[in-house]
Amino acid sequence: MSKTIFITGAGSGLAKGTAFGLAEQGHKVIAPVETAPQVTALKEEAQAKGLDLDIFKMDIKNPQDLAQMLEYDFDIFVANAAINEGGALAEVPMANFRELFEVNVFSTLETAQIAARKFVDKGKGKIIFMSSMAGIMSTPYVGPYTATKHAIEAIATTMQKELESHGVQVATINPGAFATGFNDRSAEAKWKWFDEEIHFTRKEDMEEADRALESHYDPAEMIAKMVEVIPLDHHKFRTAFPEETEKQMKEEEAKRWRMEI
């Protein structure tokens, strides 16, 4: 059965591929993007593929943009829009850290609140938070982004309990390291403020961590998994993919109970 699916941040990466994939399967897709140039690019690409998506600018930090959500009726809401930045938590500029939380946590929750109100009024609906393997795992020098995704995990698990009695489902999708360019941009961002002359974090340690992020999976596999899971009426609360990533996440959680300092 065809669904109406609203997915934020659809201008690039996994969300863009998923928006196209869902539309190809006959679902009605509402695909807002962050900037006006992304609107043009996504419309042209959708037209070239013969797909009909509802595409418009919606920066989730912008109250006027956000108000557009009220105009739409949808069955499933995918809170995907996010930004990424790395760096040592002991030295990351607080302005950068706050900006990550502003987008990935505060504005994301605001979009989910709008969707929740719509779904509670209807007595049904599903909210999916795009989390990450970083929602459970902790990797050195990826702490700023990791902190926001840990917050998303807490938000999702809490809302799942709070909204269940209203007929509203809540879930997360936790991708592993896929080659979308998202992690690469994160690795680059910290070098704009890091200065060996004033920071105590060792440059070579961060460079080594960056190299560890280079072994990426094919995004097409994750997109196929998202296209499969998002429209379903029933599935696991957490969809971690690929299987290797799920295993890593479970091992990391278990390790913390044994860890000593």
Side-chain angles (χ1 to χ4, degrees):
M1 181 180 167
S2 133
K3 305 278 175 68
T4 300
I5 301 164
F6 194 120
I7 179 165
T8 63
S12 62
L14 297 175
K16 174 182 167 183
T18 300
F20 286 152
L22 289 166
E24 285 166 358
Q25 287 203 346
H27 299 288
K28 178 174 171 50
V29 179
I30 304 162
V33 299
E34 183 188 2
T35 67
Q38 285 180 314
V39 173
T40 306
L42 197 63
K43 280 185 174 179
E44 287 176 354
E45 195 167 341
Q47 191 172 14
K49 290 176 181 289
L51 298 172
D52 183 20
L53 283 75
D54 202 330
I55 301 165
F56 54 95
K57 175 188 172 291
M58 192 182 87
D59 178 349
I60 65 171
K61 282 176 58 187
N62 183 317
Q64 287 77 36
D65 281 7
L66 215 50
Q68 295 172 103
M69 279 187 71
L70 301 171
E71 301 168 14
Y72 289 88
D73 184 34
F74 43 91
D75 306 304
I76 298 166
F77 177 68
V78 184
N80 166 81
I83 57 175
N84 194 353
E85 183 166 334
L89 276 178
E91 301 196 273
V92 64
M94 286 308 298
N96 298 45
F97 193 70
R98 286 191 177 96
E99 178 67 9
L100 277 175
F101 267 78
E102 192 60 54
V103 177
N104 295 5
V105 181
F106 306 140
S107 297
T108 294
L109 177 56
E110 196 169 0
T111 64
Q113 286 180 337
I114 295 170
R117 167 59 64 186
K118 285 177 169 286
F119 293 156
V120 168
D121 287 347
K122 290 199 293 185
K124 63 178 181 178
K126 180 168 67 172
I127 298 169
I128 296 179
F129 288 95
M130 281 303 295
S131 183
S132 166
M133 63 189 296
I136 300 297
M137 301 179 70
S138 299
T139 306
Y141 315 115
V142 191
Y145 177 74
T146 297
T148 66
K149 290 304 181 182
H150 272 58
I152 286 297
E153 290 288 324
I155 287 169
T157 52
T158 304
M159 286 183 76
Q160 188 276 327
K161 294 169 185 170
E162 293 173 345
L163 295 177
E164 190 174 20
S165 64
H166 295 279
V168 182
Q169 299 170 309
V170 180
T172 71
I173 292 178
N174 301 63
F178 285 88
T180 63
F182 192 64
N183 290 332
D184 298 330
R185 289 190 292 274
S186 159
E188 290 164 10
K190 62 181 173 291
W191 301 116
K192 292 178 182 176
W193 57 261
F194 178 78
D195 183 348
E196 281 185 286
E197 297 296 317
I198 60 173
H199 293 112
F200 61 78
T201 303
R202 287 168 19 119
K203 181 181 180 182
E204 52 266 39
D205 290 344
M206 292 199 293
E207 287 174 335
E208 186 180 344
D210 287 351
R211 285 192 290 273
L213 289 172
E214 287 171 6
S215 54
H216 296 310
Y217 300 113
D218 180 358
E221 296 173 12
M222 188 69 224
I223 289 166
K225 174 57 71 173
M226 289 169 65
V227 170
E228 172 198 333
V229 170
I230 288 170
L232 295 177
D233 292 327
H234 299 285
H235 54 85
K236 286 183 178 179
F237 167 77
R238 178 179 290 140
T239 298
F241 188 83
E243 194 174 320
E244 181 183 340
T245 294
E246 181 176 342
K247 185 182 173 188
Q248 285 178 302
M249 290 166 66
K250 288 175 178 175
E251 286 174 355
E252 174 88 2
E253 281 192 295
K255 195 187 299 179
R256 286 187 200 153
W257 290 100
R258 303 188 300 268
M259 187 168 61
E260 295 183 13
I261 62 166

